[in-house]
Amino acid sequence: MYKQAADDVYCVTKGKDSLRTVPSADTKMSEKREKVVLKKKVTLLRGISIIIGTIIGAGIFISPKGILQNTGSVGMSLVVWTACGILSLFGALCYAELGTCIKKSGGHYTYILEAFGPLPAFIRVWVELLVIRPAATAVISLAFGRYILEPFFIQCEIPDLAIKLVTALGITIVMVLNSMSVSWSARIQIFLTFCKLIAILIIIVPGVLQLIKGETQNFKDAFIGKDVSVMGLPLAFYSGMYAYAGWFYLNFVTEEVENPEKNVPLAICISMAIVTVGYVLTNVAYYTTITAEELVLSSAVAVTYAERLFGSFSLAVPIFVALSCFGSMNGGVFAVSRMFYVASREGHLPEILSMIHVRKHTPLPAVIVLLPLTMVMLFTGDIYSLLNFFSFVRWLFIGLAVAGLIYLRYKRPEMHRPFKVPIFIPALFSFTCLFMVALSLYADPINTGIGFAITLTGVPAYYLFIIWDNKPEWFQTFSERTTMMLQILLEVAPADKYIS
C-alpha cells in the first residue's frame, strides 16, 4: 500500500520493490510533486451537459405513451408533462441548496449522512451498488444496443445475443472512458448532449411547421378522452417524474465543480428549463402528426413520427436514440461512481474505492466496480423486474434527502447557505416523493415488498461490516493484502497524497 510516513512522498519504481517510499529530504528541490486529487474540471457547460445528458434518455423518443394512457386525453397529458417538469425543478432547486451548503460529492448519500446519520446513508449506497445502479445501467445500455443495431436489421428481428454483445461493448467503452480521463468523459458528454438537443429540434421544428399549416385536428377537444381510473393521474405523475429523473446527478460530483456556489444552481435551473420546454414541445409535435390512439399503439413514437414526415430519413432516428442512451450511460457512470468514492472515504465501502489513479486523477476503482455487476445483470438477471422492485427506493431516499434539508434548517440554522429556497418547495417535493412511494406499495405490493425486504438487508450488513470491529485476524489480513494488491495493479493511491 501507499503507506504514509510523516514527510514522505510516494513513487512507483520497477525492480524488486515495486512500491517504496522515499523520504522527501532526499529528493531534489526541482522534483515535481503532484497531489492525488479529483480536480475541479466540471465547468458550467459540463455541468449542464451532465444534467441534460442523463435526463434525456430513450424514453422521450420511444414511448411517452405511459402518461397518455393514464390521463386519457391529449390536453391532460401535456398538463402532466409540464407539471412534472415544474415539480422536478422544485426538487432540483432543493438539491441546489444542499449542494451549495454541503460542498461534498455523493448526492443523496452525502445529504442523508449529514442529516440523519450513517445507517440510512449506508443502506442507500448498499442497495445502489449491489442492484439499482447495475440494473439501471444494463437497462439503458440494452436500449443503446437495440437501437444502434436497428438500421442493420430493418427486415428482420435483431438477435438477442447480438444486442447483449453490443450492449456489453458499449458498457465497457463507457467504463474505460470514465477510468481514463475526466476531461474526455466530460467533452463526450457535451457532444452527446448537443446530439440529443439536435434530435429533439428535428422533432420540434417540423411539428411547429405543421401547426403553422393548421394541423391542429388532434388538439380539438383536447381534454375529452376515455375515462381514467382514480389511480390514473398519480400513475401518470409517476411516469412523468421518472422521465425527468436525472436532475440530481450534478450533486454527485460537487467537489469537482468549478465555483459550485454559482455553477450548481445555475446549471440546474438552465438544464431544467431546457428539458421541460423540450419535453412539452416534443409531445406537442408528436400530436401534430400522430393521433392519441396511434401514439398509444406505437412502440417507438419518434420512429413513427419520422416515418410520416421524413420517409427514408427516419433511419437516422434509431442512431440518435442510441447516442442519447450512450449519453445517459456515460453521465450515470460518471456521477454515481463519485457516490461510491465518497462512501468509501467515509468508511462505508471497501477502502480501495476511495483511491485515485496516480496519473489520470480519476476514481478508477469506483468506476470499474460497476462493470462485473452490470455484466452479471445483463446476461443472467431479470433486469426489468429488478427495476420494478427498486423504483420506489429512488423516490424514498430522494424524499428523505429533501426532508433532510428541512431538518437541517432547524438543526443547523447557522450553516452557510449561499442559495436558499422557500420552505414550501422542499415540503411539497418531499411529500410528493413519499406519496409516490406509498403509491408503489399500493399498486404493486408484492414486487415493492420484495424490493423493500432486499433494501432492509442493508441493516445487518451495516452492523456486520461497519460496526463490528473485532473481525477475525485472517479476515483483516486478507482485506489488507487484497487492498495492497489492487492498489499496485490499478496504480491508485489515497486522495491528498503526493506522488512523484
Side-chain angles (χ1 to χ4, degrees):
M1 293 174 70
Y2 290 93
K3 293 288 187 183
Q4 180 176 355
D7 294 309
D8 286 351
V9 294
Y10 301 83
C11 62
V12 180
T13 61
K14 293 180 180 178
K16 269 188 180 179
D17 300 321
S18 60
L19 202 58
R20 62 187 177 87
T21 61
V22 182
S24 58
D26 296 336
T27 60
K28 295 180 181 180
M29 294 298 293
S30 60
E31 185 178 36
K32 288 186 177 180
R33 300 199 307 166
E34 190 174 10
K35 210 174 193 180
V36 181
V37 293
L38 295 178
K39 297 182 178 180
K40 289 184 176 290
K41 292 189 175 182
V42 180
T43 61
L44 175 61
L45 180 59
R46 289 175 177 177
I48 292 170
S49 72
I50 288 171
I51 298 172
I52 294 178
T54 48
I55 291 177
I56 302 176
I60 191 64
F61 302 112
I62 298 172
S63 183
K65 63 185 178 183
I67 292 178
L68 179 60
Q69 284 177 321
N70 288 304
T71 55
S73 68
V74 171
M76 201 62 204
S77 71
L78 294 176
V79 169
V80 169
W81 275 108
T82 306
C84 288
I86 294 170
L87 196 57
S88 297
L89 174 61
F90 282 1
L93 290 173
C94 294
Y95 266 55
E97 176 175 329
L98 288 166
T100 53
C101 66
I102 303 172
K103 299 182 185 69
K104 295 179 183 177
S105 297
H108 322 313
Y109 166 82
T110 297
Y111 306 143
I112 292 170
L113 180 65
E114 288 282 332
F116 302 114
L119 178 56
F122 174 83
I123 293 172
R124 176 70 184 92
V125 77
W126 168 263
V127 181
E128 183 79 23
L129 176 61
L130 290 185
V131 181
I132 296 178
R133 183 47 44 183
T137 303
V139 166
I140 192 67
S141 303
L142 279 169
F144 163 78
R146 175 173 294 277
Y147 281 90
I148 202 74
L149 288 173
E150 187 163 296
F152 303 100
F153 291 86
I154 298 172
Q155 302 297 329
C156 59
E157 188 69 24
I158 308 172
D160 284 342
L161 181 60
I163 293 173
K164 289 190 175 183
L165 290 175
V166 171
T167 298
L169 179 62
I171 292 169
T172 304
I173 291 171
V174 167
M175 298 289 182
V176 171
L177 176 65
N178 279 273
S179 300
M180 296 301 291
S181 172
V182 172
S183 294
W184 272 106
S185 178
R187 287 169 189 157
I188 289 176
Q189 188 68 11
I190 291 172
F191 168 73
L192 293 172
T193 299
F194 276 113
C195 288
K196 295 183 186 198
L197 295 177
I198 290 169
I200 285 179
L201 285 174
I202 289 174
I203 293 170
I204 291 173
V205 172
V208 172
L209 294 176
Q210 291 285 91
L211 286 176
I212 293 171
K213 292 177 183 177
E215 297 291 336
T216 59
Q217 61 273 13
N218 293 334
F219 297 98
K220 292 177 181 178
D221 300 321
F223 289 90
I224 298 175
K226 66 176 183 179
D227 293 332
V228 181
S229 67
V230 176
M231 292 298 293
L233 198 58
L235 287 172
F237 267 91
Y238 193 89
S239 298
M241 294 298 288
Y242 181 82
Y244 282 99
W247 44 261
F248 41 77
Y249 278 119
L250 185 60
N251 294 69
F252 284 61
V253 298
T254 305
E255 293 171 25
E256 296 168 70
V257 178
E258 293 180 357
N259 192 6
E261 292 187 1
K262 174 186 173 184
N263 286 338
V264 168
L266 201 55
I268 284 172
C269 291
I270 293 171
S271 301
M272 291 311 300
I274 291 172
V275 172
T276 302
V277 172
Y279 273 12
V280 173
L281 291 180
T282 299
N283 279 276
V284 170
Y286 289 150
Y287 291 125
T288 62
T289 305
I290 304 171
T291 65
E293 292 76 14
E294 290 170 334
L295 190 143
V296 169
L297 294 173
S298 175
S299 59
V301 64
V303 175
T304 304
Y305 175 84
E307 286 173 349
R308 297 274 180 89
L309 291 182
F310 308 132
S312 59
F313 181 72
S314 63
L315 289 175
V317 173
I319 303 299
F320 278 113
V321 174
L323 290 174
S324 181
C325 294
F326 192 85
S328 294
M329 293 157 57
N330 183 60
V333 170
F334 179 83
V336 175
S337 61
R338 272 57 176 180
M339 179 196 285
F340 303 148
Y341 167 80
V342 173
S344 174
R345 192 173 64 188
E346 296 290 339
H348 286 168
L349 288 177
E351 181 187 5
I352 189 69
L353 298 183
S354 65
M355 297 189 187
I356 301 169
H357 196 277
V358 296
R359 294 187 305 279
K360 307 295 184 183
H361 296 275
T362 60
L364 175 62
V367 172
I368 64 173
V369 71
L370 285 171
L371 184 58
L373 293 169
T374 306
M375 292 299 181
V376 169
M377 293 282 184
L378 177 64
F379 286 99
T380 64
D382 185 356
I383 302 166
Y384 294 97
S385 293
L386 285 170
L387 283 183
N388 289 335
F389 291 159
F390 292 100
S391 60
F392 82 101
V393 175
R394 166 182 281 175
W395 297 111
L396 173 63
F397 283 102
I398 290 176
L400 190 62
V402 174
L405 182 154
I406 301 172
Y407 179 65
L408 288 172
R409 289 273 187 97
Y410 293 97
K411 181 185 176 184
R412 296 168 64 181
E414 78 289 348
M415 180 182 283
H416 177 56
R417 294 176 171 85
F419 182 86
K420 194 172 181 179
V421 296
I423 196 69
F424 82 89
I425 289 180
L428 175 63
F429 186 80
S430 57
F431 172 79
T432 303
C433 289
L434 295 176
F435 176 75
M436 287 194 289
V437 169
L439 179 65
S440 295
L441 288 168
Y442 177 81
D444 192 2
I446 295 176
N447 284 339
T448 306
I450 293 171
F452 188 66
I454 296 174
T455 302
L456 288 179
T457 62
V459 176
Y462 176 74
Y463 286 97
L464 179 63
F465 296 117
I466 309 302
I467 299 298
W468 183 31
D469 289 329
N470 298 321
K471 295 180 179 69
E473 186 176 342
W474 66 265
F475 179 85
Q476 297 183 37
T477 302
F478 173 77
S479 178
E480 289 173 2
R481 288 181 177 175
T482 301
T483 301
M484 184 183 298
M485 181 183 68
L486 290 173
Q487 213 177 327
I488 296 169
L489 181 65
L490 299 175
E491 295 187 326
V492 294
D496 297 325
K497 304 303 182 209
Y498 285 95
I499 300 295
S500 62

